[in-house]
Amino acid sequence: VSQSRYILIITLQQKMKTELSYSNIPWRHEDQKFFVANCTKFEKATKWSPKITKEEGVERILKQIAQDNKSA
């Protein structure tokens, strides 16, 4: 599991207070073997940067899912 996916899994487990089951699947030809994003140029060009952390974004998504499940 890549480091970013591992961090997401750990974050979800902590927020949801449960252990998630996951496994790796074989690499596919279409998959990127390595990816690095540097948003510095975008931020300078647009004068925009995220207002919330990744953790807050995950928390908001989980709250929305819980709300949607209650009204379903």
Side-chain angles (χ1 to χ4, degrees):
V1 175
S2 72
Q3 184 178 0
S4 59
R5 280 187 283 169
Y6 179 73
I7 292 169
L8 176 60
I9 290 167
I10 296 301
T11 302
L12 288 169
Q13 289 180 147
Q14 291 170 345
K15 301 279 184 193
M16 298 170 65
K17 296 179 175 72
T18 188
E19 188 170 333
L20 299 174
S21 175
Y22 62 92
S23 63
N24 286 324
I25 59 173
W27 179 79
R28 299 170 298 179
H29 178 70
E30 301 83 15
D31 293 340
Q32 292 178 319
K33 289 187 178 181
F34 187 77
F35 178 77
V36 175
N38 182 341
C39 300
T40 306
K41 286 183 182 179
F42 177 82
E43 290 175 0
K44 285 180 181 178
T46 62
K47 310 275 190 282
W48 180 90
S49 62
K51 302 291 187 246
I52 63 170
T53 65
K54 290 177 269 189
E55 292 79 11
E56 176 67 18
V58 169
E59 184 69 33
R60 288 182 183 191
I61 290 169
L62 291 174
K63 284 181 182 177
Q64 184 64 52
I65 291 169
Q67 185 179 1
D68 290 349
N69 285 338
K70 285 181 184 177
S71 57

